[in-house]
Amino acid sequence: MATNSPPFGATEETHATKDDVEHGSDIDPLQKGHLLSLEHTDPVLNAKMHLVNNAIDEIGMTTYQWKLFVLNGFGYAVDSLILLIQSIIAGQAALEFQPSFSRGLTIAVYVGMLVGALFWGLSADIIGRRTAFNTSLMICSVFAIVAGSSPNWIVLGLFVCLSAFGAGGNLVLDTAVFLEFLPSKDQWLLTLMAAWWGLGQLVAGLFAWAFLPNHSCADEATCTYANNKGWRYVWFASGALVFCMSIARITVIRLKETPKFLVGEGKDEEVVAVLQGIARKHNRPCSISIEGLQACGVTGAWDRRGSVASAHAKKRISFREVWLHLKGLFATKRMALSTSLIWFSWLLIGLAYPLYNVFLPSYLATRGASFGQLSPSITWRNYAITNLCSIPGPILAGLMCKSRWFWGRRGTMVIGALVTMAFFFAYTQVRNNAQNLGFNCAISFCLNIYYGTLYAYTPEVLPSAHRGTGNGIAIGLNRVMGILSAVIATVSNTSTPVPIYICAALYIVMAAVAAAFPFEPMGNRSS
């Protein structure tokens, strides 16, 4: 009969002290417990997770993880690329198609992102990370290319939605896959990876700058298919780029299923094969063994009621399977608090930032802001510069989140949210183009300190067996708020300052929520 006691070397999981947390790397990673092990949710899984974390730390950072940094970064870039492309081309497409509801593309892209986040998130926990990793970008690229050939507004909205569906799961998958191969001392790279989000924004801005100024019509009366191909070229170029990224994911690396997912499956032999295979290829030590894992006990053993010790129902494709993953996110009071606060944070950021972008132009016009008439080339050049400024934000956040001076991940989010809030309030006083560009660049930089850290923090504190579900719902809630922002902008008065101040004030709430998070990943290992 299998026992629930951990094997030799894992009987007493040690955890970082307060001083250890502050200094992060001052303690031997092999002596750390994983972040959620004190929650006592599953002693067998905890013991096995400890051994897997030991093996990953023993192997260390290799070219395999650096390849994942790039290939998973593609997913970040594509998510932001698709979101921005629809907003960039919506105006020109509307001139050509003259739709009755001009914000239809915004709703279409967020619906696609919402369904994609939930679908790919759940599938990552049910069937694994590998399948979704290999297929999601391919789906996105095909529909992005086809979107450029849309004959009318409805068809364009459909293809935008389907392209967003493929892209929408990448923020769920990329963080999970990368994190579950990362040594504990390098988990801060998960925050740094958000710089790819800014790179996607930059690419969107560069495509707009390249194609729209010289291939766009000026008004509805003269707008035809022949003189308004710029927005179509943007879609074609974006889709082709994403297609190349999807091919690279298949050819550059043969992704192995993550060992932490396999642990939850009870596939001890495959766990050992994956880790020892990476170690052999890169000439690294790896002492994990099948015997050591099996000595911990059995995961995946059925009881008389048809329940399973791991996080799966007897039938994978069932409501019970989904319920078990949801239940696992609230297994203890601290985990329930953590999950709830994370989801609340994603709701807040999902509402505040889109609403701010919607309301600000109308508000500035009522306050007498004088921008003058910029040429299309200068307009899109400034747009590209603003997006360029979003890249250094996650880089700085990555350095901050591993430092005791900034209170780890939580402190980095608090600082990022408060500084962004200050710039948002100040931005309402913009009066000319130079100020507009300067404040846009500052907000783009500061916002991504908070955003990039939240993206990384979310999977770090979720249990591995339910990571895809929890992360998918978090990002799904963000997309729901994006849909709501488009509806609010359509029916609300955009000329008053109240919405701007409310949006900025939401960042104060985000800072308070970040300070209240019960878990701090710095100095600990993820489950």
Side-chain angles (χ1 to χ4, degrees):
M1 180 180 294
T3 68
N4 285 344
S5 60
F8 178 76
T11 53
E12 293 183 3
E13 289 194 23
T14 55
H15 296 268
T17 65
K18 180 178 179 181
D19 185 64
D20 293 332
V21 171
E22 290 181 348
H23 293 83
S25 60
D26 289 351
I27 58 177
D28 182 0
L30 301 185
Q31 298 303 314
K32 299 178 186 176
H34 69 80
L35 187 63
L36 303 180
S37 61
L38 287 180
E39 299 305 301
H40 304 296
T41 54
D42 186 334
V44 173
L45 197 58
N46 284 345
K48 290 189 176 185
M49 197 65 69
H50 185 78
L51 295 179
V52 170
N53 277 327
N54 281 354
I56 293 173
D57 283 336
E58 190 179 12
I59 295 170
M61 199 73 179
T62 69
T63 55
Y64 185 79
Q65 284 95 337
W66 284 116
K67 288 178 181 179
L68 285 178
F69 178 80
V70 175
L71 296 175
N72 284 302
F74 287 169
Y76 265 83
V78 169
D79 187 278
S80 63
L81 176 68
I82 297 300
L83 275 176
L84 263 70
I85 288 299
Q86 67 80 24
S87 65
I88 287 170
I89 65 93
Q92 288 303 131
L95 285 179
E96 181 177 337
F97 297 134
Q98 302 181 27
S100 58
F101 184 54
S102 61
R103 301 192 189 276
L105 292 190
T106 301
I107 293 180
V109 76
Y110 275 109
V111 168
M113 290 283 182
L114 167 62
V115 177
L118 296 176
F119 175 83
W120 296 113
L122 284 170
S123 68
D125 284 341
I126 296 173
I127 64 174
R129 282 64 158 140
R130 183 179 178 181
T131 301
F133 178 86
N134 288 333
T135 59
S136 59
L137 284 190
M138 183 67 72
I139 294 172
C140 176
S141 66
V142 169
F143 288 111
I145 294 172
V146 174
S149 302
S150 300
N152 57 59
W153 187 254
I154 300 298
V155 173
L156 175 60
L158 173 63
F159 289 140
V160 167
C161 184
L162 292 172
S163 179
F165 167 76
N170 279 281
L171 292 181
V172 182
L173 297 168
D174 297 330
T175 51
V177 170
F178 188 49
L179 175 63
E180 293 181 6
F181 280 105
L182 267 182
S184 60
K185 66 182 180 62
D186 298 307
Q187 282 181 200
W188 66 275
L189 290 172
L190 197 63
T191 302
L192 180 64
M193 195 169 73
W196 285 93
W197 170 272
L199 186 61
Q201 290 181 311
L202 174 62
V203 170
L206 291 176
F207 281 161
W209 188 13
F211 296 118
L212 292 183
N214 299 319
H215 302 281
S216 298
C217 60
D219 53 59
E220 292 183 2
T222 60
C223 200
T224 65
Y225 172 87
N227 67 3
N228 193 42
K229 292 184 178 181
W231 69 268
R232 298 179 185 272
Y233 295 155
V234 172
W235 274 118
F236 292 149
S238 300
L241 178 62
V242 177
F243 180 77
C244 292
M245 291 177 175
S246 68
I247 296 299
R249 279 194 168 186
I250 300 172
T251 57
V252 172
I253 196 171
R254 300 277 183 155
L255 181 70
K256 302 171 176 63
E257 190 56 80
T258 68
K260 293 184 177 181
F261 175 79
L262 294 172
V263 165
E265 297 280 282
K267 298 178 179 178
D268 295 345
E269 293 85 356
E270 293 184 38
V271 172
V272 174
V274 169
L275 291 172
Q276 290 188 349
I278 295 174
R280 277 195 306 272
K281 184 175 181 179
H282 299 92
N283 297 316
R284 301 294 177 86
C286 181
S287 57
I288 194 170
S289 66
I290 296 175
E291 294 77 15
L293 287 173
Q294 290 178 344
C296 297
V298 177
T299 53
W302 298 97
D303 62 23
R304 293 179 180 177
R305 294 177 299 173
S307 298
V308 69
S310 65
H312 293 291
K314 194 169 184 178
K315 292 183 179 179
R316 290 295 179 90
I317 311 300
S318 65
F319 288 110
R320 180 170 175 76
E321 172 77 8
V322 176
W323 169 249
L324 284 176
H325 287 300
L326 290 172
K327 185 178 177 182
L329 297 168
F330 297 85
T332 68
K333 289 183 179 179
R334 290 184 76 206
M335 291 173 65
L337 175 62
S338 177
T339 300
S340 299
L341 291 179
I342 287 171
W343 289 353
F344 185 50
S345 296
W346 281 99
L347 275 173
L348 292 173
I349 189 70
L351 179 62
Y353 190 57
L355 268 185
Y356 181 82
N357 285 332
V358 167
F359 281 110
L360 186 65
S362 298
Y363 173 67
L364 290 177
T366 65
R367 295 294 297 268
S370 177
F371 296 100
Q373 187 65 37
L374 293 177
S375 68
S377 179
I378 297 298
T379 298
W380 292 115
R381 182 208 65 182
N382 290 351
Y383 187 80
I385 292 173
T386 300
N387 290 331
L388 176 64
C389 292
S390 65
I391 297 176
I395 298 175
L396 177 60
L399 298 174
M400 290 171 63
C401 74
K402 66 172 185 173
S403 171
R404 65 185 178 90
W405 299 107
F406 298 103
W407 193 34
R409 275 66 157 171
R410 291 178 293 183
T412 301
M413 283 186 279
V414 170
I415 294 170
L418 292 179
V419 175
T420 303
M421 174 272 299
F423 277 110
F424 270 13
F425 276 123
Y427 195 14
T428 59
Q429 303 304 312
V430 165
R431 291 294 181 271
N432 57 54
N433 277 309
Q435 293 173 357
N436 183 45
L437 178 59
F439 274 95
N440 263 315
C441 289
I443 288 175
S444 183
F445 174 81
C446 296
L447 174 68
N448 279 280
I449 294 176
Y450 173 84
Y451 227 156
T453 309
L454 181 63
Y455 270 122
Y457 179 88
T458 300
E460 277 190 293
V461 300
L462 293 173
S464 177
H466 317 294
R467 182 169 284 137
T469 302
N471 206 8
I473 292 175
I475 296 173
L477 292 172
N478 180 275
R479 309 312 190 195
V480 169
M481 291 298 101
I483 297 171
L484 186 60
S485 70
V487 175
I488 293 174
T490 302
V491 301
S492 300
N493 181 2
T494 62
S495 63
T496 70
V498 175
I500 299 296
Y501 292 123
I502 290 176
C503 291
L506 287 175
Y507 281 85
I508 301 176
V509 182
M510 290 179 219
V513 172
F517 284 149
F519 297 114
E520 173 51 57
M522 187 177 69
N524 289 286
R525 304 190 291 193
S526 67
S527 68

